[in-house]
Amino acid sequence: LSLLAMYGFKERKWWLFLGAFFAVSWWNFDYSGIGIQLMLIFFLCRNHPKIGAALYVLTYLPCLWGGYLEDPLALKLGGFAVDWAVFALLAAPLIFLPTRSGLKIPKWFFYAFYPAHLAVIAAIQFML
């Protein structure tokens, strides 16, 4: 559905974009609406990394006060809880700082790597 949302955005089919965004948010898919928001930031700011980095950080700032003390997965600091998603801020330098390594990886590698690593994780889980 996220790809449908991005297709709707790029092709200016707003009904498709809004429908996919609503469906992803309503049924709480993996990244929900935040995933589509991040794709839009990466797409729209691909030539403006400073603006993209600022929007990325602003997206995750609510995590600083978004945790619940009752949540067993929340990072608790005294009487204050921080949502674990705040650690996405640690990825900002890796995403936005240019590396210029010159390493060329074929596009098809990532199309093969993603399902392959999920299969390895599933196999490990099955064995355990």
Side-chain angles (χ1 to χ4, degrees):
L1 284 175
S2 300
L3 293 176
L4 272 177
M6 288 305 294
Y7 173 76
F9 183 83
K10 287 175 71 173
E11 298 296 322
R12 294 194 169 118
K13 295 181 179 181
W14 304 114
W15 60 272
L16 182 60
F17 171 75
L18 292 174
F21 186 82
F22 176 76
V24 166
S25 298
W26 180 263
W27 284 291
N28 200 13
F29 281 80
D30 193 15
Y31 281 94
S32 192
I34 294 292
I36 295 175
Q37 180 181 344
L38 290 173
M39 283 192 274
L40 286 173
I41 290 170
F42 296 145
F43 176 71
L44 295 174
C45 300
R46 64 189 177 276
N47 296 325
H48 307 285
K50 290 179 183 175
I51 295 171
L55 291 173
Y56 179 85
V57 169
L58 286 174
T59 298
Y60 282 106
L61 276 183
C63 295
L64 289 173
W65 58 86
Y68 298 100
L69 289 172
E70 301 82 25
D71 184 5
L73 298 177
L75 177 62
K76 296 173 182 89
L77 305 169
F80 186 70
V82 177
D83 190 288
W84 281 100
V86 76
F87 288 107
L89 293 174
L90 298 175
L94 300 173
I95 295 171
F96 291 101
L97 289 178
T99 57
R100 309 244 195 292
S101 69
L103 180 64
K104 298 288 184 186
I105 299 174
K107 182 179 175 180
W108 61 264
F109 173 79
F110 293 104
Y111 290 115
F113 175 78
Y114 186 74
H117 99 279
L118 291 178
V120 168
I121 291 170
I124 292 171
Q125 184 181 13
F126 180 75
M127 287 188 283
L128 294 176

